[in-house]
Amino acid sequence: MWLVTGISCISGLMYRSISVYPRPALWLLVNLCLYSATLFYTGGLAAQEQKTSSYGMAQQLLAGRGEVILRFAFPDAHGLEYLSSFLSIDNYRNDTVTAYANEAGFRQFLELQISFQVVRPPSLRSGDLEGKRTGMAFGFDRYPAYQEYISIMEGFAAGFPLICQLAEFGTSKNGKKLLALKISDNAVIREQEPVFFYSSTMHGDEVVGYVLMLRLIRYLLENYETDGQVKRLLDGLEIWINPLSNPDGTYFLSDTSVAGATRFNGNQTDLNRDFPDLRDELWDIRPKEPETHAMMDFM
């Protein structure tokens, strides 16, 4: 339709201009206008094809992973608070928003009728997420498999029974264990002392903190007898560490690897946005994910 409209305008110009322009100049003007109209048409077609391609890619990721990462220009007509009501915003910089969406969030996003790009999930970009394959899991030279993680946590408690106790405080949507270790000088006793609670990887594809928490546990346990600062910490505090609070997301594709991890849990929900919002008058009756309930009850 754009091309036809362009030709119509050119035709009108040509008929009106015959007596004004010499023939060579007239044909040059006609050809330039035709070229511009063609670019306009093909550019619009390319934009439409890109939009269709992005939509198809988004639907494919939603079908396979339950989430899609979108990048788009910040819409002036809407604020971040509105966007955050149905998108999980990961980054906002230079008027560009990067956000995760589940199926419902993506449908609502489409109603804004703005252009977007689909971002390849970070957990699918690396060909070597597991790192080195040498050494034991306790060496933390790679991301552990799910069962290795369970064994590591059980091993900590078994190796240091006086200062370390293991607690299973719930299960994920898909039945994976939610674990935390209590580390203190008298771990079997509840003493009147300050309590610190560390938790990581509520977003399943943010796995660096997962391994850092395992390293912190090992450091505290192995250095209690020899490091004065560690001893003072454990003698005066009750420290709880939950290295992995979203196991369904971290082990989305396989229990043997974190490659392909998702931000959301097994129910396509961002657990970081699932806790009560005191600005929401109905927060106490809204449904919550099992990981959220378990964490709230545990704390």
Side-chain angles (χ1 to χ4, degrees):
M1 181 175 66
W2 294 332
L3 185 57
V4 172
T5 304
I7 292 175
S8 298
C9 293
I10 291 169
S11 299
L13 173 66
M14 181 174 64
Y15 291 138
R16 290 194 300 271
S17 304
I18 287 177
S19 60
V20 178
Y21 293 102
R23 186 175 298 273
L26 175 64
W27 280 109
L28 175 61
L29 178 63
V30 170
N31 286 330
L32 285 173
C33 291
L34 278 170
Y35 177 67
S36 299
T38 302
L39 285 179
F40 179 55
Y41 170 73
T42 56
L45 182 61
Q48 183 64 32
E49 288 177 348
Q50 182 181 9
K51 182 177 180 181
T52 302
S53 175
S54 296
Y55 177 80
M57 191 181 305
Q59 290 287 25
Q60 185 178 12
L61 286 167
L62 284 169
R65 295 171 57 79
E67 65 184 35
V68 61
I69 308 174
L70 309 173
R71 182 167 293 154
F72 53 93
F74 183 79
D76 294 333
H78 303 284
L80 282 175
E81 186 171 355
Y82 171 72
L83 294 176
S84 296
S85 67
F86 57 91
L87 298 176
S88 177
I89 296 179
D90 184 59
N91 188 279
Y92 173 43
R93 184 179 301 166
N94 298 328
D95 292 329
T96 299
V97 179
T98 303
Y100 288 69
N102 57 19
E103 181 68 44
F106 182 62
R107 287 199 304 268
Q108 193 165 345
F109 172 78
L110 291 177
E111 295 177 2
L112 301 180
Q113 296 185 340
I114 59 177
S115 299
F116 65 92
Q117 294 177 322
V118 174
V119 179
R120 182 171 174 79
S123 62
L124 294 177
R125 295 177 195 167
S126 173
D128 191 30
L129 266 177
E130 294 183 70
K132 301 176 183 177
R133 297 299 299 178
T134 59
M136 298 179 62
F138 272 94
F140 302 116
D141 58 354
R142 59 186 172 87
Y143 293 106
Y146 171 68
Q147 288 300 331
E148 286 179 316
Y149 165 61
I150 302 300
S151 297
I152 290 170
M153 296 289 279
E154 292 173 345
F156 282 141
F160 301 87
L162 297 181
I163 60 173
C164 183
Q165 293 287 305
L166 178 64
E168 179 180 340
F169 61 92
T171 55
S172 68
K173 172 68 168 57
N174 294 332
K176 288 184 168 59
K177 295 181 179 181
L178 301 176
L179 302 176
L181 285 172
K182 177 186 177 183
I183 305 174
S184 187
D185 59 336
N186 295 304
V188 297
I189 303 173
R190 183 66 188 272
E191 297 180 291
Q192 293 298 316
E193 55 190 13
V195 177
F196 279 71
F197 180 79
Y198 296 87
S199 180
S200 180
T201 315
M202 192 176 296
H203 291 153
D205 59 354
E206 296 173 359
V207 291
V208 174
Y210 172 26
V211 173
L212 289 178
M213 289 297 99
L214 292 173
R215 286 178 173 267
L216 176 59
I217 293 168
R218 183 180 65 176
Y219 186 85
L220 293 175
L221 296 177
E222 291 182 352
N223 289 279
Y224 175 66
E225 298 292 346
T226 58
D227 188 311
Q229 187 176 32
V230 172
K231 182 172 176 56
R232 285 193 298 273
L233 287 173
L234 269 61
D235 287 349
L237 301 173
E238 183 177 307
I239 299 174
W240 289 87
I241 301 179
N242 161 236
L244 181 61
S245 59
N246 182 6
D248 287 354
T250 298
Y251 296 104
F252 173 75
L253 284 184
S254 169
D255 283 359
T256 63
S257 173
V258 302
T262 60
R263 181 185 183 97
F264 297 165
N265 75 336
N267 203 30
Q268 292 79 55
T269 298
D270 187 337
L271 297 178
N272 188 251
R273 313 295 196 269
D274 195 50
F275 285 88
D277 184 347
L278 297 183
R279 296 170 299 178
D280 180 2
E281 295 180 356
L282 301 178
W283 69 265
D284 57 336
I285 61 173
R286 294 193 190 282
K288 299 295 178 187
E289 295 301 307
E291 296 92 341
T292 307
H293 275 298
M295 185 69 77
M296 290 172 64
D297 292 341
F298 180 63
M299 289 193 289

